[in-house]
Amino acid sequence: MANVVTYRNGNYLVMLDCDSGTKIRYNSGDKFVPEFPESMDICISKKCKVGCRFCYEQCTPDGEHADLMNLKFIDNLHPYTELALNGNDPLHPDLVPFLEKCKELKLVPSLTVNHYTFNKNIEFLKFLCDKKLIYGLGVSIDGVYDDDEDVVNEMISTFKMFPNLVLHVINGIISVEDLELLAHHGLKILILGYKQFGRGVDFFGYSSLGILCGQNDLYNKLPEIVDDEWFDVISFDNLSIEQLDPKRLMSDEEWRKFYMGEDSEFSFYIDAVTKNFGKNSTSNKRYDMLDDAKKMFDIVRTRSK
């Protein structure tokens, strides 16, 4: 049986399937006006030794972990608030007790790790999923690196050990050829826009031609990817929506059904390491982190207009 919850937020109801991530908002009016955030993107660590050249969080081996167990805003979140957490290498030492606290508070956390961290921690990540300490697992990949069929099939089989795994790929970094290798295997993907923020600024500076060509290739190939159902689910963040315009591939009715809103409309970003927040992770307009999530949400949605 699906793990479906329903709650009221402002002038509308939210129905959330915690297992699949499917969300439906509904009311009798023509506009949704939330009272509190439905979800938050939270950076819990800047410590990472992987060294992705385009890391917008600018994580380094000497970076700091957030003081996870003393984030006071967590205590006053509405039940079933979704939390998108980053998982670096090494993973945050307080990750498990923090997730246990989230479970007690009936929150819905998900964790995104890079492919390297995923391969090192498969059993641990399986434990987190099996114990319902996380509901979604994102795995960031920037390429397949090997077109040998056996190697690719083994990688895909590992991904499919996790029913709620979503591959995170960056527009302009992942190639269409690599996506084709992953296609038609029952996988789910989230396409993220390329962020010219953090290390993404310098990397774009000397790799702009390759990135722009990759974005153009994906833009042109997207209709085929959707029509031929390369993946069971294809989703987009707001930045990739700007870059790829998936709205061109659906009717106005479908767009209204599937589009989940602008940044800061129902969610916002918190950097729990540097203790500030903004409407999203690339916003230069940041405010000092507060102990009340609703107050932070009110600030970003009011000042982002």
Side-chain angles (χ1 to χ4, degrees), residues 159-177:
F159 292 150
K160 295 187 75 172
M161 290 170 55
F162 298 82
N164 290 342
L165 184 145
V166 178
L167 292 177
H168 290 205
V169 299
I170 300 174
N171 179 35
I173 297 297
I174 193 75
S175 70
V176 168
E177 291 76 17

Side-chain angles (χ1 to χ4, degrees), residues 80-124:
Y80 312 116
T81 301
E82 299 159 84
L83 309 179
L85 311 173
N86 67 316
N88 298 343
D89 184 47
L91 292 167
H92 196 295
D94 290 332
L95 182 61
V96 170
F98 177 73
L99 293 174
E100 289 174 339
K101 178 178 180 179
C102 290
K103 188 172 184 177
E104 291 174 2
L105 295 171
K106 296 183 179 179
L107 305 178
V108 185
S110 62
L111 183 70
T112 299
V113 298
N114 59 64
H115 196 189
Y116 175 80
T117 306
F118 171 77
N119 285 332
K120 282 181 58 179
N121 295 276
I122 289 175
E123 291 304 317
F124 175 66

Side-chain angles (χ1 to χ4, degrees), residues 277-280 282-287 300 303-305:
F277 67 97
K279 72 174 185 176
N280 57 37
T282 60
S283 175
N284 285 311
K285 187 178 288 186
R286 299 285 179 90
Y287 312 93
V300 293
R303 300 184 186 180
S304 296
K305 292 180 179 180

